[in-house]
Amino acid sequence: MPSKSTDAKDLLKKLSETVGVSGSENEIREVIKKEIEKYADSIETDSMGNLIATKKGTKQGPKIMLSAHMDEIGFVVRYIDRDYINFTPMGGIDDKILLSMPVVVHSAGKKLYGSIMAKPPHLQEREEREKPVKMKEMFIDVGMKLNKTPDKDGKMELEKLGVKKGDIISFDSHFRELQGSFVSGKSFDNRAGCVTVIEAFKQLKDFAGTVYAVFTAQEEVGLKGARVSAFRTAPDVALIVDTTIAGDLPNIMPQECSVETEKGPAITLLDAQGRGLITPQKVREWLTETAKKEKIQHQIELGTDGGTTDATAVTLTREGIPTGLISIPTRGIHSPSEVLSIKDLEGAIELAVVAVKSAGQYFKGK
């Protein structure tokens, strides 16, 4: 039989190489559904595009939302300029990583491969070369000739191929095994969280309560799916799984980011200086005491001053839902070459399983 690490790694590869830019999660949702449906008592897709799988425990207990967002950052076609594509981001993407990046334009059921380009430095004035190129100055080249005039029907050549405004554009990158336990690929944020929820859901058998495995849409563009799904399922407690910044890199001081790879998943106490999640004391006790009791290697994280996760949206749903966050240390977040350790992924799966099983000791069903 394959090892647990092989299972997790293979599933991460499959999910990472599947497309699911925010607002266009159909393909990734179907892949996840096939992975999880035979382990669920029921499964549904809501009007927002969230996938919700339900499993009832062997005895009475709390309703538990175990969730990860399934969407990824990317782009959409904004405008076709003489058979070159002007684009806009979906989610937070740093302009500095974009030049020469290979991408895939998804149009009319076809894939058009291209690269992000800009005016060559050889043709730039000195003042231009000294400034970083902004995204609005870039375009996508899919191998067309510069076409200044449309045909008699008013269409450019790209439009004849089916390209239109609003078509999604994804990173063209592939899953790679690196040294030791490390792997790289696109959209580990948050396909790693999806792997954690899927594998934990599969393993859950003897537990109290009801588990909702939720794979949310549109997290990268405003935590939208989490708000809807948390309202719908109305859990007594929620546990979100996402990635977090790993600080074991050159030029990063421990006081800036103390989370490291291969030291286990992080239990996040707060993020965005408290403007996002502030983990309730009871949830902190639940996760930290359970991790210690089960001897699961883990870290404690106070997140960066920047972004937040679905946990913030869930916390603020209905009259307030006690919410925790398990974070998987990841390098290069929001890039086409994110890096994580399979050991940390396995630790997140293990922590999610024991947390769900122990939830009834800390939270009561309504």
Side-chain angles (χ1 to χ4, degrees):
M1 293 181 63
S3 66
K4 288 183 178 180
S5 62
T6 300
D7 290 342
K9 183 164 60 180
D10 288 348
L11 182 54
L12 180 61
K13 180 180 188 298
K14 180 189 289 188
L15 299 190
S16 168
E17 294 186 341
T18 303
V19 175
V21 175
S22 301
S24 300
E25 296 94 352
N26 292 0
E27 186 177 339
I28 184 62
R29 184 173 57 246
E30 287 306 307
V31 172
I32 292 172
K33 183 178 179 180
K34 288 178 182 177
E35 285 289 332
I36 205 169
E37 59 186 347
K38 68 179 181 181
Y39 299 92
D41 294 319
S42 65
I43 193 163
E44 61 181 317
T45 301
D46 67 16
S47 59
M48 191 79 187
N50 301 304
L51 183 66
I52 304 172
T54 304
K55 179 183 283 191
K56 295 179 180 179
T58 53
K59 45 188 176 289
Q60 293 294 316
K63 295 191 295 182
I64 306 157
M65 177 180 178
L66 179 60
S67 180
H69 75 87
M70 60 183 164
D71 62 313
E72 63 185 285
I73 58 171
F75 314 90
V76 295
V77 175
R78 183 182 183 89
Y79 181 73
I80 297 173
D81 181 7
R82 294 167 292 175
D83 281 332
Y84 289 83
I85 296 172
N86 176 271
F87 58 93
T88 194
M90 295 290 283
I93 304 176
D94 189 345
D95 294 8
K96 294 190 291 295
I97 71 169
L98 296 181
L99 275 181
S100 301
M101 179 185 294
V103 294
V104 185
V105 183
H106 302 265
S107 298
K110 299 189 292 288
K111 295 180 180 180
L112 299 179
Y113 296 91
S115 296
I116 295 177
M117 301 290 192
K119 183 179 179 181
H122 316 74
L123 301 179
Q124 295 176 8
E125 300 292 338
R126 180 176 178 180
E127 292 77 12
E128 291 180 285
R129 291 197 299 272
E130 291 175 349
K131 296 178 182 178
V133 180
K134 296 180 180 179
M135 191 182 301
K136 65 181 181 181
E137 300 169 317
M138 302 177 194
F139 53 85
I140 294 173
D141 181 353
V142 297
M144 308 291 287
K145 289 182 66 92
L146 184 66
N147 187 6
K148 297 183 179 180
T149 57
D151 66 7
K152 59 184 176 62
D153 296 321
K155 289 188 175 182
M156 306 300 285
E157 291 300 316
L158 268 179
E159 292 175 300
K160 292 180 185 179
L161 292 173
V163 179
K164 61 186 183 300
K165 292 180 181 179
D167 286 348
I168 65 165
I169 304 163
S170 62
F171 296 136
D172 182 16
S173 58
H174 301 279
F175 186 92
R176 308 285 188 206
E177 294 192 31
L178 306 180
Q179 301 302 305
S181 69
F182 288 93
V183 294
S184 72
K186 76 169 184 66
S187 65
F188 287 178
D189 177 10
N190 185 34
R191 305 296 158 69
C194 292
V195 170
T196 301
V197 174
I198 291 169
E199 291 299 318
F201 193 78
K202 288 178 180 179
Q203 293 178 34
L204 285 168
K205 292 182 175 66
D206 183 19
F207 66 94
T210 300
V211 173
Y212 302 100
V214 183
F215 303 89
T216 62
Q218 300 186 40
E219 188 267 0
E220 296 290 3
V221 289
L223 317 179
K224 298 174 185 176
R227 301 167 194 262
V228 175
S229 57
F231 190 91
R232 183 184 184 92
T233 55
D236 299 305
V237 62
L239 182 58
I240 311 303
V241 187
D242 209 327
T243 55
T244 190
I245 294 170
D248 52 341
L249 292 169
N251 303 321
I252 297 180
M253 301 297 291
Q255 58 266 37
E256 293 179 285
C257 180
S258 62
V259 173
E260 299 181 30
T261 54
E262 291 197 318
K263 288 193 175 181
I267 297 171
T268 303
L269 304 187
L270 64 83
D271 59 25
Q273 296 181 327
R275 298 186 303 277
L277 174 71
I278 301 178
T279 304
Q281 185 62 38
K282 194 172 184 181
V283 175
R284 295 185 186 192
E285 292 170 359
W286 167 45
L287 295 177
T288 56
E289 289 175 5
T290 300
K292 290 176 182 176
K293 180 181 177 182
E294 299 296 332
K295 296 181 171 55
I296 297 172
Q297 185 182 33
H298 65 284
Q299 308 173 69
I300 300 299
E301 178 193 36
L302 277 75
T304 64
D305 296 347
T308 188
T309 71
D310 275 348
T312 296
V314 174
T315 298
L316 298 173
T317 301
R318 290 186 176 267
E319 64 268 31
I321 297 170
T323 304
L325 175 61
I326 295 174
S327 301
I328 301 166
T330 306
R331 301 170 184 165
I333 284 179
H334 282 210
S335 81
S337 298
E338 300 174 341
V339 176
L340 60 75
S341 166
I342 296 298
K343 290 180 181 179
D344 294 329
L345 180 57
E346 289 176 326
I349 296 167
E350 187 179 2
L351 180 54
V353 170
V354 297
V356 169
K357 288 185 174 181
S358 66
Q361 301 170 30
Y362 294 84
F363 305 95
K364 304 300 178 185
K366 295 176 183 176

